[in-house]
Amino acid sequence: MSSFRFTALLIVTVATVAAVSGCGPSSTTTKAADSASASSPRAMQVVQGWRAQLDTLDLQVRRLDRSVRALDTAPEVEAARTAFIAARASFKRVEVGLEYYAPSTTKAMNGPALPEVEEEEGPEAVFPPTGFQVIEELLFGGDPLAERETLRHEVETLGQLVSKARTKMQVQEASDAHVFDASKLELARIVALGITGFDSPVAGFSLAEADAALEGIQRAMAPYRTEHDSWQRLQGALASARATLQRTADRHGFDHFAFIVNEANTIGVELQELRVHLRVAVPAERRAFRLTAATLFDTNAFDPWALAPMAAPRSRTALEAQVALGARLFHDGRLSADGRRACSSCHLPEKAFTDGLPVNRARTGARLSRNTPSVINSGLQVGQFADLRTTYLEDQVTDVVENVDEMHGSLDAVVRVLARDSSMVAAARVAFVDEDPGAPALTASHLRRALAAYQRSLTRLNSPVDRALRGDPSAINDEVRRGFNVFVGKGKCATCHFLPLTNGTVPPMYQKSEVEVLGVPTRAVIRNGTVDPDEGRYRLSRATPQRYAFRTPALRNVALTAPYMHNGAYPTLESVVDFYNRGGGHGVGVRLDNQTLPPDSLGLSSADTRALVTFMRALTDTTGTQQRIQ
């Protein structure tokens, strides 16, 4: 590559570094953070409201318990369902506080109705799900009368969890910063999990429950009333959004796009305006969803360095140099044992860092077992590889370089080779200038960190869809917009590919990436399918629920990354949508007891499929990533 093209890549990369690094907080920010944890009368008034709402929730769960214990006939089933609706609406009104101050208890109260694997405790540490979603499935998805005993047990457990939450909230103190932060996170939760149907998958009460959650934000903001018009604008935005939700009965027919752009984003902006007006700081912590962002769709809403094992260098110059060094290393064949295979040999920039093959070849020529994933936006995943076998990008580097089938190298050996390259040594000195001057300029740790920094710099969240969601309607056409609504609504895609990243990293805290069991067959078929023998995450955890489980990948740039699935079985986006529309593996003849994808057909029409594929194609953003360095 010419020096001009290399410089062009670095210009784009350096611009990206400025967006992702978060280096060097200002003294004003530091002072504000120092005061962010101080409790205040208004914040404690909010907590008092949460305590009262928990008392109401406790009352509603007790009523649900009585209804379930009385189950004997069809009318009593309806009474139990009515009690359930009231109880979960009550939960949603206090979710804003519960999720913030008692997240583990809240997850047990309203987590997915799937077994929880605690891998640190061994393969036998598999815990059954509890809470509202389990009760919903029993009450609305099957035969409640046949499940009476199970229902009674689950509601009793829910009551115990509510009692635990009440105890926690009784001793809780809060600051204004935490109340505003909790409200912002709850709004993000409504957008990414609420209106998508994530936590009401069977009964379909997502919109009504999103309304109750917005009411919870409304109540939390009540003590912050001020004569400034920011408070009135916030209240108006909340009232408008709630009215929109109340007017819509069918989630599948709901205009999710319009709601996010016109309602939810407006609430986020006004919430931030009020916080700034009141001079309320943000908490002193770092998260993937930046604390200073107003909405999930802000231009700079995400910080990939928040998911790194260590903070970005405080010196922007050092960070830019690390990224530049990592870019050179990514394209350098000397990382492999024979000097002929670089990272970019399989992660081709022109194919969004994939290779266009179902699976690539090992050094020996044998087929590898898995499809090559893109590294664009890989910094926004908690866990790497299809089986999440490493947590950090730094560990991914070691795994790939030293993998016998891939590069068969050794980081220590690579250091010895590169130490003879004066330009590499000079670049490393600049990249790690802040470290011990007496230490070697180039080490295995430096290689890992530079390559990881380069991958984090490949964060690209400015596709036409992103621009449209930020308020530029001209960025997409009506077909893309319809496809977005299918993605979030009827297609249920966003219940696993969470907005806005479209990967499996769970919002709004982004601390865990999900794995799913889809029942992917060995090849694309519509009947008599045989499950692909790769057991995925199970190879590491040995936990039965994770047999054939794989990381939920991002759909960013998916138009460029065919073929699809971990084994490359599906050649086109249309074939992938057809697989999901049939109910995943179950719909093509693969029978797995632990399939996490619902086995029912989605009922998508051909028009739905076309719109959905058009939407996914509009998720493309490879700006400044396609150049090669030679």
Side-chain angles (χ1 to χ4, degrees), residues 6 68 85 97 122 133 137 144 184 224 297 334 423 434 454 457 469 522 525 553 573 586 606:
F6 177 64
V68 166
I85 293 169
Q133 290 198 46
E137 196 171 271
K184 186 190 87 164
Y224 295 92
F297 307 98
R334 290 176 291 182
S423 68
D434 297 331
Y454 171 60
S457 80
L469 287 166
T522 55
V525 296
L573 288 172
H586 188 273
S606 58

Side-chain angles (χ1 to χ4, degrees), residues 48-66 83-99 102 105-110 131-132 135 155-167 169 209 212 219:
Q48 290 287 0
W50 290 338
R51 291 170 181 162
Q53 185 57 48
L54 275 170
D55 291 342
T56 301
L57 174 59
D58 180 67
L59 178 64
Q60 297 288 7
V61 170
R62 289 176 186 274
R63 288 174 177 169
L64 174 60
D65 182 72
R66 289 196 294 272
F84 172 87
I85 293 169
R88 191 149 66 176
S90 188
F91 164 81
K92 283 290 178 178
R93 292 186 189 100
V94 74
E95 183 180 54
V96 56
L98 281 177
E99 283 281 8
T105 303
T106 306
K107 182 179 179 181
M109 290 169 67
N110 196 47
F132 278 112
I135 297 167
V155 174
E156 182 180 356
T157 299
L158 177 61
Q160 294 166 355
L161 291 167
V162 173
S163 295
K164 184 177 179 180
R166 292 174 75 197
T167 300
M169 200 62 74
E209 291 176 2
R219 293 181 180 187

Side-chain angles (χ1 to χ4, degrees), residues 553-572:
L555 300 182
R556 299 290 181 144
N557 303 304
V558 72
L560 306 175
T561 62
Y564 306 103
M565 303 301 191
H566 70 274
N567 60 355
Y570 287 85
T572 66

